[in-house]
Amino acid sequence: MVPKLILTGFMATGKSTVARHLARRLGWRLLDCDAEISARAGKPIHQIFRDSGEAHFRAMERSVIAEISSDRRRCAQCGHPRPAVIATGGGAIVDPQNYAALRDSGVIICLSARPDVIARRISAGVKARPMLAHGGMPVKQRIAELMEERHEAYARAAITIDTSERTVDQVVDAILDALADAYPTIVQALPSTAHNPHGPRK
Ligand code: S3P
């Protein structure tokens, strides 16, 4: 069975963008947890935090992840389980219930980046990152604090790819290479255009 590929990791490590490109490369369905939560609430994530608080957001996140990870629907044409690439929000995997559900439904891939790279990437949009606006703490300090708090949760991923110095396509290639090493049977089941370690990459 081809499982789901789940992209997780700290804010601004590229999860949503890489998930979109990876899904396109594989011809798989893309599911973005934060986009789904936002669509259900009818407002952006930072407004959910502002209006209803973090606990409410986490409850929505838990229910979306439970639904997505238990989706066992099959393809109408071939009858096989429908594969998907899933992007989670940066805090999702910290919750043990979310972690267990995601681990059981596929391969968890953590995207990482150096704190200075994260600070640079989010510099224009700190207001849209409620977890970084914490008691007026300087952003770099808050990034370091949250990374330290979450270190163990992210370390449970099956594969970790550092995106600090890679383009989006290079991250997708690195994911497919790491999958080929750790899960050769999954890669054998992928479309031949997705993974060609000896040929040119598009
Ligand atoms: C969060 C990360 C955000 C979003 C929410 C909480 C976190 O997603 O889910 O603001 O706790 O790290 P991104 O990682 O896509 O920014």
Side-chain angles (χ1 to χ4, degrees):
M1 177 189 129
V2 180
K4 296 177 171 70
L5 297 180
I6 299 127
L7 297 193
T8 192
F10 203 82
M11 287 167 265
T13 50
K15 301 179 292 290
S16 295
T17 308
V18 170
R20 205 170 56 245
H21 284 249
L22 181 60
R24 197 181 303 145
R25 182 97 69 100
L26 298 174
W28 289 9
R29 208 160 46 116
L30 169 67
L31 301 167
D32 188 305
C33 296
D34 277 355
E36 181 58 29
I37 294 167
S38 181
R40 288 185 189 189
K43 52 180 116 172
I45 301 291
H46 69 277
Q47 280 179 23
I48 304 176
F49 271 75
R50 188 197 61 196
D51 298 346
S52 314
E54 182 181 353
H56 180 74
F57 169 78
R58 296 297 173 198
M60 291 190 77
E61 186 175 56
R62 223 172 283 125
S63 110
V64 164
I65 286 178
E67 272 178 45
I68 285 178
S69 51
S70 64
D71 174 15
R72 303 270 184 268
R73 275 176 293 179
R74 286 171 180 270
C75 167
Q77 274 96 44
C78 70
H80 287 109
R82 291 198 303 169
V85 177
I86 299 171
T88 75
I93 203 176
V94 177
D95 179 293
Q97 194 179 313
N98 291 341
Y99 167 68
L102 292 166
R103 180 205 53 206
D104 291 348
S105 72
V107 180
I108 300 181
I109 299 158
C110 181
L111 301 188
S112 68
R114 294 194 313 270
D116 60 301
V117 173
I118 289 175
R120 177 164 42 78
R121 288 179 185 166
I122 55 133
S123 58
V126 179
K127 287 207 178 91
R129 312 265 185 189
M131 292 303 292
L132 294 180
H134 199 73
M137 190 185 278
V139 170
K140 282 187 180 165
Q141 200 179 321
R142 176 63 180 151
I143 290 171
E145 179 183 72
L146 210 48
M147 273 189 164
E148 178 60 31
E149 268 175 34
R150 294 179 172 180
H151 176 74
E152 279 182 26
Y154 293 141
R156 293 181 299 196
I159 288 169
T160 298
I161 304 292
D162 189 334
T163 69
S164 303
E165 307 295 340
R166 288 182 162 110
T167 64
V168 174
D169 278 337
Q170 286 169 343
V171 175
V172 171
D173 287 341
I175 290 172
L176 293 171
D177 285 344
L179 279 170
D181 286 343
Y183 301 91
T185 52
I186 295 178
V187 174
Q188 279 155 21
L190 296 178
S192 58
T193 49
H195 185 249
N196 177 7
H198 307 297
R201 294 268 165 67
K202 291 196 200 88

